[in-house]
Amino acid sequence: MVETVRYRVGQFLRALTARVPEEEIEQAIHILTPEARELFRRQANQDQRHALEVYYALCQAGHTNPQLLSAALLHDVGKAVAGLSAWQRAIIVLLGRFVPCLLAYLSRGEPQGHALSLPKGWRRLFVVHARHPEMGAHWAQEAGCSPLTVALIRRHQDMLAVYKTEEDQLLAALQAADSRN
């Protein structure tokens, strides 16, 4: 428990001070389509930093699949729609850790016609948190990403008991890198 709190406090402080040099971004996003590069750039600095860390972790583990690496760079792009601040993210993390049923309740979005419609007001941040994989996958598809990249983004928070397909194995690699960063 103490180790988890220490990790989360460090994560919060890193989010507050996240910096991403332009040269670093350019070196990584060359694998993305021009439209997907714009998606990457729409993310907050803290999300860009996190995406790059996930990308680097996969590279260091020997992964070279450009579709997997693209998914690493864009897996949280759905969060860009809300512009969640560090303190709002901290609330979400704390609720998920200590009162997950309340977070699940607050995260339910009401259907409003379009699949990506979001409620207005204070609950919006919780719904974005819950639905960001779906929203990010939608944007990645519109930006010309491959079907595999889109699927990995859509599924990056799914918990699987068995990894049967190549897509499942790539998903496991993405999830491992994401959870370490």
Side-chain angles (χ1 to χ4, degrees):
M1 176 74 152
V2 172
E3 197 58 38
T4 300
V5 170
R6 185 176 301 145
Y7 172 78
R8 292 300 183 184
V9 168
Q11 187 179 41
F12 178 74
L13 293 174
R14 285 189 303 277
L16 288 176
T17 61
R19 301 289 178 261
V20 188
E22 186 60 31
E23 307 80 48
E24 185 179 1
I25 291 172
E26 286 300 323
Q27 288 176 353
I29 67 172
H30 72 277
I31 63 171
L32 300 175
T33 67
E35 296 84 2
R37 290 178 192 150
E38 290 307 311
L39 275 182
F40 178 86
R41 291 180 182 286
R42 282 184 13 200
Q43 297 180 98
N45 279 347
Q46 63 196 27
D47 292 327
Q48 289 179 2
R49 176 83 267 148
H50 169 68
L52 288 166
E53 295 303 327
V54 173
Y55 171 87
Y56 294 141
L58 289 168
C59 290
Q60 288 174 345
H63 293 281
T64 59
N65 183 315
Q67 297 166 99
L68 172 63
L69 297 176
S70 294
L73 293 171
L74 298 174
H75 72 280
D76 282 339
V77 76
K79 291 180 181 178
V81 75
L84 301 178
S85 67
W87 71 267
Q88 289 171 320
R89 291 167 190 257
I91 289 171
I92 290 169
V93 168
L94 291 171
L95 285 175
R97 176 76 172 132
F98 296 110
V99 197
C101 57
L102 178 58
L103 179 59
Y105 173 76
L106 294 172
S107 299
R108 289 193 308 222
E110 291 91 28
Q112 298 177 4
H114 188 272
L116 300 178
S117 295
L118 296 169
K120 303 276 190 246
W122 63 272
R123 281 194 52 234
R124 185 172 200 268
L125 70 111
F126 298 107
V127 176
V128 168
H129 166 74
R131 297 182 63 194
H132 80 270
E134 172 190 349
M135 293 183 295
H138 176 81
W139 287 345
Q141 185 174 17
E142 286 185 343
C145 291
S146 74
L148 178 57
T149 297
V150 171
L152 292 171
I153 293 168
R154 180 175 286 114
R155 297 177 62 203
H156 83 269
Q157 289 193 324
D158 292 356
M159 292 299 136
L160 300 179
V162 180
Y163 297 91
K164 297 178 182 178
T165 66
E166 179 184 4
E167 180 181 311
D168 291 344
Q169 292 168 359
L170 293 173
L171 177 62
L174 176 62
Q175 290 172 334
D178 188 21
S179 69
R180 286 192 306 271
N181 292 286

